[in-house]
């Protein structure tokens, strides 16, 4: 008897989805992943983990090493 991991169970469940269910899962996961990314960036910013990047960007801008999009 093989014990499946949670990930393996999820993979099997996804493989059993019909086209409409898979489409709904994709939409849900895209939103879920975007929210998780936003929370991670916000936490990094609060914790100061982005401060060095912000300083570098400001220095590049002041030195004329940036362009408008």
């Amino acid at each position: 008897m093989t014990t499946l991991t949670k990930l393996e169970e999820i993979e099997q469940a996804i493989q059993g989805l019909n086209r409409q269910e898979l489409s709904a899962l994709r939409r849900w996961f895209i939103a879920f992943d975007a929210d998780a990314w936003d929370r991670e960036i916000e936490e990094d910013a609060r914790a100061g983990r982005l401060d060095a990047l912000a300083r570098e960007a400001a220095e590049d801008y002041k030195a004329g090493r940036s362009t408008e999009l």
Side-chain angles (χ1 to χ4, degrees), residues 17-55:
L17 297 177
N18 66 35
R19 200 180 225 179
Q20 290 173 323
E21 292 166 330
L22 189 55
S23 180
L25 174 64
R26 283 187 188 113
R27 286 190 304 275
W28 173 84
F29 188 79
I30 288 168
F32 172 81
D33 195 42
D35 289 343
W37 177 254
D38 288 347
R39 285 189 302 275
E40 186 175 339
I41 293 294
E42 288 169 5
E43 175 57 31
D44 286 347
R46 278 193 297 276
R49 289 187 284 269
L50 303 176
D51 292 354
L53 291 173
R55 279 191 300 277

